[in-house]
């Protein structure tokens, strides 16, 4: 099953156990959704892209002395097999991924056309990987791993070498494959950062739609007060997805974030998505403001933020790796969203990230449509990259 996220139910605290069960506050379905799928396919995507634990009413419990919250034991959910419609939808998305990475993949696959397994092949492959922005460390590692695999498999056909390269890339990218978990904390606070133009606010809108379709209640925080019209853009997504938004014109981003976390807790929301201001890593004073937002969010909820995501543009190549390093130093990233992989010749940057800064890639996007943002799967990406 292709889980978009898993929502897990935490054990109720003593105070929560004494409180009456709250009525559902799920937002109504939006009147208009920005997708082209027919109803059946959209229902399959909503059902199979997410896994939501059933809601349970808290059991009465005796009052207990206030103690530090115990560690929450997580239990994996039983995953149902994907439906045929969901499999077909994922296959269609894979076709778009392959098409999107065609400019990257064609330079790699050309290496294995009409040639033989010799040093010239490895030299051409090295050039292709570097041109795809895989970076020197990742390229050297992949070539060394590929030579070993070719020797062990006793491969004699270049087509076999291409398959072995896919295996090597998938193995390198495997540590980046991780599922986003919500529901352990209520609300789960997710900060989203990124430079202007990376698709940050649009990605937040798409995530909101998927969360809402899965039955999770979402609150948006318009803390991107630096970019013109960012607040209005997020408000459009809030209206389209029928979710609430905390927005204050001219307010300090940290204050908006603080209010949003408090409101999310008071309104019993499942997720609070904080749209932070777009930043360039070279703008030190703005990066310090981003650090302040994280610090203030922690004051609002000692356990927050529970996820800090960075949205990066797949077209930026090695610059994306520089962004990952800079933002991680400032706000301790927990995951990445890679956008605009459609039509890029620099898709190999994920190999560079895996080798030099292996922060999980939760989602990748290959287009503007809602269904074009999907969970990252190492094997699928490797096949598209070197297919």
């Amino acid at each position: 099953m292709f889980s978009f996220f898993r929502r897990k139910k935490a054990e109720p605290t003593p105070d929560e156990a004494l409180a009456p069960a709250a009525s559902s506050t799920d937002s109504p379905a939006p009147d208009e959704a920005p997708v082209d799928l027919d109803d059946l396919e959209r229902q399959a995507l909503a059902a199979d892209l997410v896994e939501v634990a059933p809601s349970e009413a808290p059991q009465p419990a005796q009052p207990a002395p206030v103690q530090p919250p115990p560690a929450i034991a997580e239990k994996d959910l039983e995953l149902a097999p994907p439906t045929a419609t969901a499999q077909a939808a994922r296959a269609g998305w894979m076709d778009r991924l392959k098409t999107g990475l065609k400019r990257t993949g064609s330079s790699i696959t050309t290496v294995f056309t009409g040639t033989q397994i010799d040093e010239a092949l490895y030299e051409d492959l090295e050039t292709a990987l570097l041109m795809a922005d895989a970076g020197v460390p990742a390229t050297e590692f992949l070539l060394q791993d590929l030579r070993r695999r070719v020797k062990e498999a006793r491969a004699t056909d270049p087509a076999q070498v291409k398959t072995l390269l896919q295996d090597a890339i998938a193995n390198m990218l495997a540590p980046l494959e991780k599922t986003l978990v919500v529901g352990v904390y209520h609300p789960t606070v997710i900060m989203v950062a990124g430079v202007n133009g990376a698709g940050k606010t649009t990605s937040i809108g798409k995530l909101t739609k998927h969360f809402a379709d899965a039955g999770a209640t979402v609150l948006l925080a318009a803390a991107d007060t630096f970019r013109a019209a960012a607040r209005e853009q997020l408000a459009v997504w809030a209206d389209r997805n029928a979710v609430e938004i905390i927005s204050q014109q001219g307010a300090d981003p940290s204050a908006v974030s603080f209010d949003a976390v408090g409101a999310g807790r008071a309104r019993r929301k499942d997720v609070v998505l904080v749209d932070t201001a777009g930043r360039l890593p070279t703008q030190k004073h703005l990066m310090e403001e981003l650090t302040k937002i994280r610090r203030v969010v922690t004051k609002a909820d000692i356990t927050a933020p529970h996820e800090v995501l960075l949205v990066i543009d797949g077209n930026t190549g090695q610059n994306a790796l520089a962004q990952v390093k800079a933002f991680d130093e400032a706000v301790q990233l927990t995951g990445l969203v890679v956008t605009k992989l459609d039509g890029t010749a620099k898709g190999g940057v994920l190999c560079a990230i895996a080798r030099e800064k292996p922060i999980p890639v939760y989602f990748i996007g290959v287009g503007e449509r809602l269904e074009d943002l999907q969970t990252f799967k190492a094997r699928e990406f490797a096949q598209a990259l070197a297919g």
Side-chain angles (χ1 to χ4, degrees), residues 219-279:
L219 178 68
L220 299 180
D224 188 350
T225 60
F226 180 74
R227 180 171 65 87
R231 185 169 59 91
E232 290 78 8
Q233 184 183 0
L234 192 66
V236 170
W237 278 106
D239 182 65
R240 183 178 294 171
N241 293 319
V243 300
E244 297 180 61
I245 182 172
I246 300 297
S247 176
Q248 301 174 20
Q249 185 173 6
D252 179 77
S254 300
V256 175
S257 303
F258 184 91
D259 290 345
V261 175
R265 185 168 55 248
R267 301 174 192 180
R268 303 179 67 85
K269 299 296 183 181
D270 295 314
V271 179
V272 173
L273 274 169
V274 182
D275 182 11
T276 66
R279 299 286 185 255

Side-chain angles (χ1 to χ4, degrees), residues 136-192:
V136 174
T139 297
E140 291 179 346
F141 180 86
L142 283 173
L143 289 175
Q144 182 179 3
D145 188 25
L146 180 61
R147 288 177 184 271
R148 178 186 60 80
R149 292 173 183 269
V150 169
K151 183 177 180 180
E152 291 179 353
R154 297 181 180 179
T156 57
D157 186 349
Q160 292 177 272
V161 180
K162 185 174 74 169
T163 301
L164 293 174
L165 176 63
Q166 292 176 358
D167 294 339
I169 294 175
N171 185 69
M172 172 180 281
L173 297 178
L176 304 185
E177 185 178 319
K178 185 179 178 182
T179 300
L180 176 63
V181 176
V182 301
V184 174
Y185 299 94
H186 296 278
T188 298
V189 181
I190 303 175
M191 281 180 57
V192 186

Side-chain angles (χ1 to χ4, degrees), residues 3-21:
S3 301
F4 191 85
F5 69 88
R6 297 182 190 173
R7 178 182 174 202
K8 298 183 179 180
K9 189 74 172 178
E11 294 296 329
T13 63
D15 291 339
E16 291 173 335
L18 292 174

Side-chain angles (χ1 to χ4, degrees), residues 115-355:
T115 185
Q116 56 185 353
I117 304 175
D118 54 16
E119 284 303 313
L121 182 146
Y122 289 111
E123 290 178 3
D124 291 342
L125 180 58
E126 178 181 20
T127 301
L129 289 171
L130 291 174
M131 292 295 292
D133 272 327
V136 174
T139 297
E140 291 179 346
F141 180 86
L142 283 173
L143 289 175
Q144 182 179 3
D145 188 25
L146 180 61
R147 288 177 184 271
R148 178 186 60 80
R149 292 173 183 269
V150 169
K151 183 177 180 180
E152 291 179 353
R154 297 181 180 179
T156 57
D157 186 349
Q160 292 177 272
V161 180
K162 185 174 74 169
T163 301
L164 293 174
L165 176 63
Q166 292 176 358
D167 294 339
I169 294 175
N171 185 69
M172 172 180 281
L173 297 178
L176 304 185
E177 185 178 319
K178 185 179 178 182
T179 300
L180 176 63
V181 176
V182 301
V184 174
Y185 299 94
H186 296 278
T188 298
V189 181
I190 303 175
M191 281 180 57
V192 186
V195 304
N196 289 332
K200 172 173 59 67
T201 303
T202 300
S203 295
I204 290 175
K206 291 179 180 180
L207 290 177
T208 300
K209 177 60 178 174
H210 283 301
F211 286 143
D213 283 350
T217 54
V218 181
L219 178 68
L220 299 180
D224 188 350
T225 60
F226 180 74
R227 180 171 65 87
R231 185 169 59 91
E232 290 78 8
Q233 184 183 0
L234 192 66
V236 170
W237 278 106
D239 182 65
R240 183 178 294 171
N241 293 319
V243 300
E244 297 180 61
I245 182 172
I246 300 297
S247 176
Q248 301 174 20
Q249 185 173 6
D252 179 77
S254 300
V256 175
S257 303
F258 184 91
D259 290 345
V261 175
R265 185 168 55 248
R267 301 174 192 180
R268 303 179 67 85
K269 299 296 183 181
D270 295 314
V271 179
V272 173
L273 274 169
V274 182
D275 182 11
T276 66
R279 299 286 185 255
L280 287 176
T282 54
Q283 297 172 314
K284 185 177 180 181
H285 65 293
L286 295 180
M287 292 296 286
E288 289 175 349
E289 185 178 283
L290 190 61
T291 303
K292 179 184 175 183
I293 294 176
R294 180 188 173 98
R295 186 168 62 248
V296 170
V297 165
T298 303
K299 290 182 178 179
D301 182 344
I302 192 62
T303 66
H306 308 109
E307 295 284 350
V308 181
L309 308 184
L310 176 66
V311 179
I312 56 177
D313 183 341
N315 289 290
T316 57
Q318 284 293 300
N319 188 43
L321 177 60
Q323 291 177 26
V324 171
K325 292 179 178 179
F327 278 89
D328 184 52
E329 182 179 353
V331 289
Q332 295 82 57
L333 299 175
T334 62
L336 305 176
V337 179
V338 184
T339 64
K340 305 180 183 180
L341 282 171
D342 48 318
T344 179
K346 301 181 178 181
V349 68
L350 264 66
C351 295
I353 291 173
R355 189 62 183 165

